[in-house]
Amino acid sequence: MQPGEKEQNNLSGSSLLQVRSLCIDFESHGEVHRAVDGVSFSIAPGEVLAVVGESGSGKSVTGLSLTGLLPPPPGCRVGGEVLYQGRNLLECSARELRQYRGKQIAYVFQEPGTALNPVFTIGHQIAEAIRLHRPEVKDIKAEIVKALDMVKIHEPERRFEDYPHQLSGGMQQRVMIAMALACNPRLLVADEPTTALDVTIQAQIINLLRELRERLGMSIMLITHNFGIVSGFADRVAVMRHGRIVEQKETSVILKSPEHPYTKALIGCIPVLGRKLRRLPTIESETRQEQEHGHA
């Protein structure tokens, strides 16, 4: 049994989202490469789950697979179950998935500077999502201004007409969050929402997500490689390496008493004020870790 397997399989029937034995394969030049291998986790209503791991561990493709945002077969094949309120989204047609994507499960993607379309104003881009998923809204501009104000953008009525290049990186990220929240989703998938931002802006974005979660009661799947932003925000942590979840526990428990060597190494990389390190922590090979941890 892998570390955290007990926690992975403890999927409550009251969960908003349940992912069971998720496998994702990519085919290239006749060879099949497994990016995600048997991942299972759940997210309860109003809960924040942080999926932590280094680049290439399978975090982002796991998030994209929830609503069918990965390439279609034969380039990519997804197996297992993604149960949203009991409905297996992997069995839904493309048309059915559009009813979930954005409306029920919304995304904040990496690098807002590239995720936002440079030739349209931010108001135009947010309006597109509202028209698609909330046709009952009559005053779209008022709804957009409300969303921009919710994410604490100064003078939202004026910023409505701005293009992405007129905004700072932090402001662009707030626009991405406003766009995601415009359709009142129940689950927000935030994929590296603090990437390329300085530490002050990172703290502001995390505080904003924390406030929005408390105000709106939505669930959040936070995808990050930075253990430093998890404490005080996430309720639980799932640690991914090489496409597998190696450990999954409550945040306070995993930060205080990590079990897997990879988790320990990641936590050891968190800067601590006043702690002097002669050398940076290194992560040993997977084979040696598994042998020492009893999984050879």
Side-chain angles (χ1 to χ4, degrees):
M1 179 179 290
Q2 295 183 14
E5 187 173 339
K6 179 179 179 180
E7 291 84 355
Q8 293 175 27
N9 293 329
N10 185 22
L11 303 178
S12 169
S14 62
S15 297
L16 178 68
L17 178 77
Q18 297 182 20
V19 175
R20 295 175 173 172
S21 302
L22 180 70
C23 294
I24 302 174
D25 294 329
F26 290 95
E27 183 175 338
S28 177
H29 303 290
E31 295 184 356
V32 176
H33 305 274
R34 176 146 291 187
V36 174
D37 188 8
V39 163
S40 299
F41 61 86
S42 65
I43 303 177
E47 182 181 38
V48 177
L49 172 70
V51 181
V52 184
E54 61 192 315
S55 297
S57 61
K59 310 182 305 296
S60 293
V61 292
T62 296
L64 292 173
S65 71
L66 302 182
T67 59
L69 291 177
L70 294 174
C76 177
R77 298 186 184 277
V78 182
E81 292 182 314
V82 176
L83 301 174
Y84 179 81
Q85 294 184 312
R87 177 76 184 276
N88 187 2
L89 300 186
L90 297 186
E91 297 177 347
C92 292
S93 65
R95 182 176 181 179
E96 289 172 326
L97 282 175
R98 284 195 290 269
Q99 301 303 312
Y100 289 93
R101 196 182 297 141
K103 186 175 183 180
Q104 298 290 333
I105 303 175
Y107 289 82
V108 176
F109 296 105
Q110 297 185 47
E111 301 291 349
T114 57
L116 292 169
N117 193 320
V119 301
F120 292 107
T121 65
I122 62 172
H124 178 94
Q125 295 182 61
I126 299 175
E128 186 177 9
I130 296 176
R131 290 192 185 99
L132 179 63
H133 294 296
R134 300 176 63 193
E136 74 282 0
V137 174
K138 302 301 181 182
D139 192 343
I140 294 180
K141 181 174 181 179
E143 200 68 21
I144 295 171
V145 170
K146 177 183 175 182
L148 294 176
D149 183 64
M150 186 181 299
V151 297
K152 300 182 179 180
I153 288 183
H154 186 58
E155 296 182 336
E157 295 87 354
R158 182 171 64 85
R159 292 296 188 180
F160 175 90
E161 301 292 344
D162 282 355
Y163 288 86
H165 73 272
Q166 295 175 281
L167 305 176
S168 66
M171 293 285 278
Q172 290 176 353
Q173 194 63 283
R174 289 173 187 267
V175 169
M176 289 294 297
I177 296 172
M179 190 182 303
L181 297 180
C183 296
N184 301 322
R186 296 197 62 189
L187 172 62
L188 179 68
V189 180
D191 189 356
E192 301 280 9
T194 60
T195 296
L197 302 176
D198 63 58
V199 292
T200 302
I201 304 301
Q202 285 183 17
Q204 292 177 3
I205 295 299
I206 292 300
N207 287 335
L208 173 62
L209 290 174
R210 182 186 295 110
E211 292 175 11
L212 292 173
R213 175 248 188 138
E214 293 174 354
R215 185 191 310 179
L216 304 176
M218 65 181 177
S219 303
I220 298 177
M221 178 179 175
L222 174 67
I223 298 172
T224 181
H225 64 272
N226 185 359
F227 243 115
I229 68 173
V230 170
S231 178
F233 178 48
D235 299 301
R236 287 186 300 115
V237 175
V239 181
M240 285 193 72
R241 190 184 193 201
H242 298 313
R244 299 178 180 179
I245 292 181
V246 297
E247 190 166 0
Q248 185 174 179
K249 292 185 178 71
E250 292 182 1
T251 304
S252 58
V253 175
I254 209 167
L255 288 174
K256 183 178 180 181
S257 305
E259 293 185 8
H260 197 276
Y262 180 65
T263 308
K264 294 178 181 178
L266 287 178
I267 294 176
C269 294
I270 302 175
V272 177
L273 188 64
R275 183 179 68 181
K276 295 183 180 180
L277 296 176
R278 293 185 177 180
R279 57 181 298 177
L280 292 173
T282 58
I283 298 175
E284 298 175 350
S285 69
E286 183 181 27
T287 302
R288 181 174 176 182
Q289 282 191 357
E290 289 183 346
Q291 289 175 346
E292 293 179 350
H293 210 57
H295 304 289

